[in-house]
Amino acid sequence: MISRRFVQCDVFTSVPTKGNGLAVVIDGEGLSDEAMQGFAAWTNLAETTFLMSPTATEADYKVRIFTPAREMLFAGHPTLGSCAAWLRSGGRPKIQGVVKQECGVGIVDIDLSGPIPAFAAPKTTVVPLPDDKLKAIMSALGLTPDRILRTAQLSNGPVWQVIELATAADVLAVDSAKIRYPQFLGVGLIGAHAAGSECDYEVRMLGASSGMSEDPITGSLNAAIARWKYGSGEWQRPITVAQGTCIGRSGRVSIRYDSAAETVWIGGQTCFLIEGTLSL
């Protein structure tokens, strides 16, 4: 057993306990795959991350991301939370104002120049949502065609089955208990709030592999949706998304598009709740 620095933080919120919890093992070197997976299962959080030295010369650190059941190539709130933990533990980026994180999808940039840290959304593949998957989701959730505006299957590491509903109220009315992993995985819902609301859209992610009824706040889903929406020209201005409302969270995702660099930035705040060491 080795004493390792450890933090638990809350991502995509300014209010502690109202975001998406993340465990970060800052000294992740030397742990086996089995040990990392076992510890992630023990924390029982949506994700647990392990920081280690990078293998890519341009990267500042490497992160491996685990749910209680499996390793993930990329995830949003673990990206922002891991970066915040690395900086808090004394990490200094090679390039001022930009952290370069190595993970399963390659190098992900995290912009520190603005008021809220933001990661560059990975490239996203957009294809039609297969009819059989759409029909299965509609049947399970009791959705009717007149409340569905658009659908797509998005992939940015994880694969998302996304349905845009007519309004945020439609999204909030869905019963998440009707969608369960592993029969369903990565079902994303989005709907617009009324003009003048605090947030532009409401998002929910059902069928979470963590076993929760739904994921509190899902950075990678929001990143994929943003790539889809900006890519189609539907979104052209900065967007604020709310997530976690139905399970008592106050998640806020800040999204903007840099047209010159063709980069979508996904921003959110991180609160630290627990700091110390663990024996692992």
Side-chain angles (χ1 to χ4, degrees):
M1 293 287 187
I2 296 175
S3 179
R4 303 172 187 273
R5 290 173 295 173
F6 173 77
V7 302
Q8 279 191 212
C9 54
D10 207 19
V11 188
F12 284 120
T13 188
S14 60
V15 183
T17 75
K18 295 298 183 181
N20 200 355
L22 176 72
V24 185
V25 180
I26 295 166
D27 302 309
E29 298 283 359
L31 287 168
S32 67
D33 293 359
E34 293 76 15
M36 287 187 279
Q37 184 63 77
F39 185 66
W42 182 82
T43 67
N44 203 32
L45 292 171
E47 279 96 16
T48 298
T49 65
F50 301 84
L51 308 187
M52 53 198 69
S53 300
T55 59
T57 56
E58 68 268 36
D60 291 301
Y61 63 88
K62 180 179 179 179
V63 65
R64 292 184 67 181
I65 305 166
F66 289 81
T67 75
R70 62 192 178 98
E71 184 171 8
M72 299 185 72
L73 298 178
F74 169 76
H77 96 276
T79 290
L80 289 180
S82 295
C83 177
W86 181 76
L87 292 168
R88 192 176 180 91
S89 67
R92 294 291 179 267
K94 297 172 183 176
I95 302 173
Q96 185 175 0
V98 179
V99 169
K100 291 186 175 290
Q101 174 186 274
E102 180 183 351
C103 62
V105 296
I107 305 298
V108 175
D109 287 356
I110 301 150
D111 178 19
L112 306 179
S113 64
I116 299 176
F119 68 84
K123 291 182 178 179
T124 299
T125 301
V126 181
V127 299
L129 179 60
D131 286 342
D132 61 332
K133 291 184 177 181
L134 175 58
K135 288 177 181 177
I137 296 167
M138 290 176 64
S139 176
L141 296 179
L143 299 176
T144 57
D146 63 302
R147 305 310 297 168
I148 296 176
L149 299 183
R150 298 167 192 84
T151 67
Q153 183 165 287
L154 312 176
S155 176
N156 59 356
V159 176
W160 309 106
Q161 301 161 64
V162 179
I163 300 176
E164 182 175 4
L165 300 179
T167 67
D170 290 320
V171 172
L172 293 169
V174 166
D175 181 358
S176 64
K178 295 180 178 179
I179 291 284
R180 279 288 182 265
Y181 173 86
Q183 181 181 5
F184 296 93
L185 175 62
V187 176
L189 304 177
I190 181 171
H193 281 283
S197 300
E198 176 200 351
C199 297
D200 300 292
Y201 287 87
E202 191 77 30
V203 164
R204 296 175 73 183
M205 197 282 270
L206 313 182
S209 61
S210 64
M212 300 179 70
S213 62
E214 61 184 274
D215 196 45
I217 304 99
T218 320
S220 46
L221 170 60
N222 281 284
I225 290 173
R227 279 282 194 178
W228 176 36
K229 294 295 187 181
Y230 284 118
S232 68
E234 184 182 346
W235 288 0
Q236 298 184 357
R237 60 178 179 81
I239 296 292
T240 301
V241 165
Q243 192 178 349
T245 305
C246 289
I247 54 173
R249 308 297 176 91
S250 298
R252 297 294 183 268
V253 183
S254 300
I255 304 173
R256 57 184 170 84
Y257 180 57
D258 181 347
S259 58
E262 297 184 344
T263 302
V264 175
W265 295 98
I266 309 297
Q269 295 174 273
T270 298
C271 303
F272 288 89
L273 281 75
I274 300 170
E275 299 185 64
T277 60
L278 65 91
S279 297
L280 190 63

